[in-house]
Structure formats: C-alpha cells, structure tokens
Amino acid sequence: MIIRRLPETVVNRIAAGEVIERPASAVKELVENSIDAGARRIEVTVRDGGKSLIMVADDGSGMSRDDLELAIERHATSKLPDYDLSAIASLGFRGEALPSIGAVSRMSITSRAAAADSAWTLALEGGRKSGPAPAGHPAGTRIEVRDLFYATPARLKFLRSERSETQQIADAVNRLAMARPDIAFIFGDETRARIRLEAAEGDLLEGRLERLAGVMGKEFAANAMPVDAERDGIRLSGYAGVPTLNRANAAMQYLFVNGRPVKDRLLIGAVRGAYADFLSRDRHPLVALFLDIEPRAVDVNVHPAKAEVRFRDAGLVRGLIVGALKHALAAAGHRASTTVSAVALGALRSTPGAAPWRGGGGGYGYSPRPMSAGLAEQGAAYQAPLAGALDLPPGARVPTEAEAAAATEEYPLGAARAQLHGTYVVAQTADGFVIVDQHAAHERLVYERMKKALAADGVARQGLLIPEIVELDEAAAQRLVARAGELAELGLVLEGFGPGAVAVREVPAMLGRVDAAALVRDLADELAELGQAFSLKEKLEEVCGTIACHGSVRAGRRLNIDEMNALLREMEATPHSGQCNHGRPTYVELKLSDIEKLFGRR
Ligand code: ADP
Ligand code: MG
C-alpha cells in the first residue's frame, strides 16, 4: 500500500463537489459574493443552462491585485476577520467557492477595487492559474465561468436539461433577490432577460413588497398580509398570503435568516400548523418570512452549500412563526368578516363524530359543541359569501319533498339537497340542516378504510400500466426508498430510479385514479418531518392521512345527488367521521331553533 498526498488540483476538485453541485450552485456562490461586496447592481448571464457560460458582473467593492490572488486560494476569505465562526454576518465565510469553481471549469476574474485606477484579471483553468495581468474594467468585479465541470465529467453527466438548469439558476437568483430589494438584479441568457428587478428607492418595507411582487407575482402582493412580530430579540417580518391564495406544493414558502435564503423543515411545519384551520392539507399558502436574529443564536455552518441553518432555540423560532402567522390570519379575518355571517356561523354546531350512530339507546349519541366565536369569524372570512343561487350540478335531480322527508327522518345526516360552491354538501335533517365539507369528509373515510384494510390483510394495490417516474431531490428519493418495504404494506410500491428519482409501480387501489407524483412528493415531505426513529405503522395516522388526502374528492369537484347521499351514508357508517384527520370538523349542523333565533322568530 502506498499512501500519497493528493495534488492540490485534485483536492480542490473533491471540495468542489461539496459546494458546486450544478450551475445554479455556482451562480448562487458568485451572486452571494457580489452581495457581500456591497454591490448595488448584479447582472447574471448564462448560456446552455450555465454549462458553457456563467457570467456574473457587479459594481461592488472589487479586488486589488493582491486580493485577487488570495481570493482563489482555498479557505481564503475576507469575511471572518476574527476567525469567529459563531457570529457570521456575511453570506460567505468558507473561502471555498472561487477555488472550487476554478478547479472544475475555465474561470476568469476581472476586478477593479473601488479606489484603484486600474483593473486586473486572473484565470484558473482546471485549477491552474495564469495572471494576474492588467485589464480594463470599471470598479467592481466580473467573473466568467466557461465549460463548468469539463474537468469532472462524472458531474457533468448528472446535469439535467438546459431548461431545468436555467430554471434552477433563476430560482437561486430570485431567492437571493427577495432579501435585498435595495439591489438591482438582472438575469438572462444571451437572447433575453428572464429576471429584471430594479433596486427599490426609499422605504425598505415598501420596497420589499414590491420585490416580492416581482418574484412571487403581483397576485401575492395584492393578497398578502403583513407579518411583524418580535420575541426575545428575534424579529420576524414579511408577508403571508391569505388562505384562499394557495398552491399544491410548498415551493412558494420562503424563509430568510439574516438575509440568507434557507430551506428549512421548521418553516414548512410551522406554516402548516398556523394555516391548519383554514386550508386542507394538500394546499399550501404562499409566504415570505424574514427572520432577524442575533448571529450567535443560529449556526449557518452546518451545510457546505449553506442552505440549512440550525437555531439554538428551534422551539422559540417555531413558536414565533406560528404565533405571528395566526395573528396575521386573525387580523385579516376580522377585517373581512361581516356581522351577519359571524352571527350565523356562531350559531353553527360542529359535531365531533361519535360512533356508533345508531347505538342501542336509540339516540344518536353526539353532543353539539358550539364553535368558538373567534374561529367562526375567521372561518367566515375565508368562505366565499353564500350567494343566493344553489350550485346544483348539471343533470342533478332534486329529490321530491316526500323522498327528502323520509330520508331526513331516517338518517342522522339527512338527505342531500345541494352542493354549494362545488365544495359543501347541504343536507336537510329532521330538525335543521348540515353542511358537509366534502373533501375533509371523504379524506376521513379513505383513512378509516385504509386503517381497516391494514388491520385485516393489507391494503390492496393496483399496478400502474406504466411506472410513473417522479423526480425529487436526492435526499427525498433516498428517504422514500429506505421506507419502500413499509410503504408497500400501505399499498404504495416504489423503487429508486437513479439518484434523484423514484419509479412508482403500484398505488393503493382504494385511491382510484391518483396523482402519484404529488402523493410521493408529499410523502417525502412527511417522512422528512417525521424523522427516522419510528416505524411507519407507529406514525400511521400521519402517513395514511397524507395518502388518504390524495385519494379524496377535491374541493371543487361537482357531485350529483346520489354521490352526495352516498357520502352522507358512508359517513354515518364510519367511526370518527365527524372530524377530518386533522381534527377539523367534516360537517357542521345548524338547528332550526338556531335559525329561528337568527331571524328573531324566537
Ligand atoms: P467566501 O465568500 O466564503 O469568502 P469565496 O471563495 O467565495 O469565499 O471568495 C473569496 C474572497 O474573494 C471573498 O472573501 C472576497 O474577499 C473575495 N471576492 C469574491 N468575489 C468577490 C466580488 N464579487 N467582489 C469583491 N470581492 C470578492
Ligand atoms: Mg463566497
């Protein structure tokens, strides 16, 4: 055995793998450097999704000839003057980006320090340096990276299409831009500008909303509630969308810690918790939250790409986020609610599903529990006002009065009469009426069916004609594959498909036609949130909940009267059907006596 010291160029290529995974990570590092250098304007140009060219130019502090030579040394940085890793105020601090990029590409840096009267240029090609040589350049820095990964062909193979890489670069630029409305960002390929964000003038908070509008869309800005809270010296500010503005995934949830975009499970969980009363589980609100925290209370040095952070007191941060979001939601609810609907909803009874429905005693065995007024008001704000017209599906048959009367006497949940807003089933009962949230109710039913099937002989599966390939990030794919055996018991058969994808072969039969990709992505999120040390059976409720959610009729799907009645009958036959898997009621009941009160008849 011969142990040899690796040449520096090889060491640098290995290190590059940690920091520079793809063109977007190179762009992120370079733009971070420009921000750290105090730039007011940063321009990014790419060709071939960054594979053949990445160019980042800024008007920041620039570098002197000596600085330039140091900047490309490994672990050389100007950002840790006291060598104190526990209080990092800049975006960079590792001193790895420039040497790493230069080790795997043909890179040139041209820079002029603000005070200097001439510029210098220096090149690194596969880690070999040439220069510095005098050059002409205005104050600031311009870095060109050509043929990224030409020196590491294995890495090159893992890159995706030009379109996908370009999109990831745009995401990286957007994320950094969101936190800095005071800096202009321009990103484009050589034919057109894809991002053009002007620097905000004047008030920074207004500037922030405008910047967020530029990145997340005008719709977000128009429907966002300001968030501002402070606890124990930690400040949370930003904007959160009203619940009616929502998406199928959490991609539009952004968290920044001291101006650094971070991907954090904590945020997704906290947002889900705060919106739980307003949104079904498969819908996600849009938020952009900025946390300002003493640098010592957060460790940013946990991940080579600096994408993750660790809070000294994660519970405190989570509490702050949930509290602030709930506060914002409550304030917005108040503003929008009308007195009449608040009173009406205050009279609604939510009925926790007590089984059996028709127990020995003859009574239905449930006790009405009035909804809290606060919740009712908030609820009122987010349901479209009940317009006069009944939203009957085409071809639906309204049962005759006699049929309805018979059903209302016979069944606790009564006879379906209409579907409102494509979401709520209204049924007439013996002494009032019930409103059923069709999605929440159906989700509960699927969940109970799954639990029963598991207890008996496993969940029946249905093979997909063509396996569905779902692209995920590598960690998510690994998490799923590691659980493949357990997931198969739940009816979901999948296997790894390259590093960042899984192939779904079978799905639980009871889900019917299901969007396997969305299901798998949500499950990956769920697994990440749950952590490692448990079996899926122990966490059955969460996991089944996620699966059930995907097999449930969506809010917005039109049901005919027969389907509605089938739903009601199955609810009556199913234990715990009065609340969805997340503890919210699946239906509310309004007694005639309450309605009479509402109209002053009593
Ligand atoms: P880090 O950002 O962690 O310090 P880098 O390798 O990214 O490490 O950069 C090394 C050093 O080069 C930085 O500390 C900074 O002093 C200098 N530098 C890099 N990019 C720029 C730039 N665009 N403008 C001015 N100085 C820069
Ligand atoms: Mg850097």
Side-chain angles (χ1 to χ4, degrees):
M1 186 177 73
I2 304 168
I3 299 182
R4 269 184 301 206
R5 199 179 291 282
L6 291 171
E8 182 142 4
T9 48
V10 177
V11 172
N12 285 343
R13 277 178 208 174
I14 294 170
E18 285 181 42
V19 191
I20 309 300
E21 248 190 317
R22 54 183 354 111
S25 23
V27 170
K28 170 180 171 288
E29 293 291 338
L30 296 175
V31 173
E32 284 184 356
N33 281 346
S34 297
I35 295 173
D36 282 343
R40 314 301 332 154
R41 180 188 160 87
I42 301 170
E43 198 170 335
V44 181
T45 308
V46 302
R47 193 190 300 151
D48 291 340
K51 282 179 246 185
S52 50
L53 174 72
I54 294 168
M55 197 272 294
V56 176
D58 68 54
D59 59 356
S61 66
M63 284 175 272
S64 68
R65 180 196 167 135
D66 291 350
D67 284 348
L68 202 53
E69 284 195 278
L70 265 176
I72 56 158
E73 301 280 324
R74 276 193 81 199
H75 311 305
T77 176
S78 57
K79 301 171 193 176
L80 285 182
D82 309 321
Y83 306 118
D84 184 358
L85 272 173
S86 66
I88 292 163
S90 50
L91 294 172
F93 56 86
R94 295 168 57 97
E96 295 243 69
L98 294 184
S100 296
I101 297 170
V104 296
S105 70
R106 303 180 222 278
M107 174 173 81
S108 75
I109 312 176
T110 308
S111 189
R112 193 178 112 193
D117 47 14
S118 59
W120 292 88
T121 185
L122 181 151
L124 266 187
E125 185 158 323
R128 263 169 295 273
K129 179 177 107 171
S130 55
H137 194 266
T141 304
R142 173 191 177 93
I143 299 188
E144 293 184 11
V145 178
R146 290 175 197 278
D147 306 323
L148 184 65
F149 299 135
Y150 87 95
T152 46
R155 179 66 73 182
L156 200 55
K157 267 198 239 137
F158 279 103
L159 296 188
R160 304 229 166 109
S161 67
E162 174 182 347
R163 212 174 125 243
S164 155
E165 296 295 341
T166 306
Q167 186 52 47
Q168 294 195 47
I169 295 171
D171 284 349
V173 174
N174 270 332
R175 269 176 200 274
L176 287 165
M178 287 167 82
R180 293 299 299 266
D182 55 323
I183 304 176
F185 289 84
I186 292 99
F187 166 59
D189 47 35
E190 284 165 320
T191 55
R192 68 186 178 103
R194 298 168 139 263
I195 296 175
R196 182 176 290 279
L197 297 163
E198 296 306 330
E201 285 160 25
D203 182 57
L204 213 63
L205 274 185
E206 263 171 46
R208 177 185 278 170
L209 189 58
E210 203 176 305
R211 178 57 58 91
L212 294 181
V215 174
M216 298 172 73
K218 292 208 166 56
E219 203 192 1
F220 174 73
N223 289 288
M225 315 170 284
V227 173
D228 197 359
E230 197 178 331
R231 197 183 292 173
D232 295 349
I234 308 178
R235 171 139 187 252
L236 180 78
S237 58
Y239 290 88
V242 297
T244 42
L245 183 72
N246 56 61
R247 292 283 155 87
N249 59 41
M252 281 278 202
Q253 296 180 357
Y254 297 97
L255 178 65
F256 300 82
V257 177
N258 294 340
R260 178 193 307 282
V262 298
K263 293 197 170 123
D264 202 308
R265 297 258 124 237
L266 181 107
L267 173 73
I268 307 216
V271 170
R272 187 179 280 177
Y275 279 78
D277 287 335
F278 306 102
L279 273 183
S280 81
R281 194 183 170 78
D282 59 334
R283 305 301 302 177
H284 302 265
L286 286 65
V287 304
L289 299 174
F290 300 84
L291 208 57
D292 289 303
I293 183 169
E294 211 254 312
R296 289 184 188 284
V298 56
D299 187 0
V300 296
N301 190 24
V302 289
H303 187 261
K306 300 166 289 180
E308 287 164 24
V309 295
R310 198 168 292 143
F311 296 105
R312 207 165 58 195
D313 189 344
L316 177 68
V317 173
R318 191 193 142 89
L320 178 64
I321 296 177
V322 175
L325 287 177
K326 284 194 165 169
H327 183 82
L329 284 163
H334 216 83
R335 198 177 59 214
S337 69
T338 69
T339 43
V340 175
S341 57
V343 171
L345 278 162
L348 291 179
R349 311 255 187 256
S350 90
T351 313
W357 277 85
R358 274 166 283 184
Y364 295 136
Y366 61 83
S367 55
R369 175 169 56 86
M371 276 167 84
S372 81
L375 191 73
E377 268 173 34
Q378 290 163 30
Y382 299 121
Q383 272 121 39
L386 295 172
L390 290 186
D391 192 10
L392 273 178
R397 195 177 58 89
V398 181
T400 64
E401 209 54 44
E403 279 171 345
T408 51
E409 291 307 321
E410 200 177 334
Y411 299 114
L413 288 178
R417 300 305 296 263
Q419 184 188 32
L420 300 183
H421 297 283
T423 302
Y424 302 102
V425 172
V426 179
Q428 181 173 328
T429 60
D431 58 353
F433 62 89
V434 297
I435 307 172
V436 177
D437 176 334
Q438 67 189 43
H439 175 74
H442 196 246
E443 182 181 321
R444 185 71 197 192
L445 297 181
V446 173
Y447 170 63
E448 292 294 336
R449 261 188 252 161
M450 283 193 86
K451 259 197 346 199
K452 224 166 109 190
L454 272 174
D457 46 10
V459 177
R461 311 194 287 240
Q462 184 181 343
L464 298 178
L465 235 46
I466 307 163
E468 176 146 3
I469 310 299
V470 185
E471 288 197 10
L472 300 145
D473 64 77
E474 237 173 280
Q478 272 169 17
R479 276 195 298 275
L480 285 164
V481 172
R483 297 283 189 175
E486 289 173 276
L487 288 171
E489 277 182 62
L490 297 171
L492 187 71
V493 178
L494 53 77
E495 63 198 35
F497 192 84
V502 296
V504 181
R505 301 198 169 277
E506 293 174 65
V507 295
M510 67 179 64
L511 296 188
R513 276 180 36 163
V514 62
D515 179 349
L519 169 60
V520 162
R521 288 206 179 90
D522 273 10
L523 270 176
D525 280 357
E526 187 76 52
L527 292 180
E529 222 166 277
L530 294 173
Q532 308 260 310
F534 66 93
S535 75
L536 287 190
K537 284 247 172 78
E538 284 171 53
K539 296 286 177 182
L540 200 61
E541 183 150 351
E542 282 95 331
V543 176
C544 278
T546 300
I547 295 177
C549 192
H550 281 272
S552 308
V553 288
R554 292 275 175 266
R557 186 156 135 231
R558 294 227 166 160
L559 302 176
N560 65 35
I561 288 285
D562 292 337
E563 287 174 308
M564 290 188 239
N565 276 320
L567 183 69
L568 297 177
R569 300 294 82 82
E570 195 174 347
M571 285 173 73
E572 288 159 358
T574 304
H576 313 302
S577 64
Q579 56 190 49
C580 78
N581 306 332
H582 319 111
R584 279 171 282 131
T586 56
Y587 71 94
V588 290
E589 181 174 23
L590 193 59
K591 296 280 184 201
L592 276 178
S593 55
D594 291 324
I595 302 170
E596 283 163 357
K597 270 190 224 134
L598 202 60
F599 288 101
R601 283 162 161 259
R602 278 201 176 197

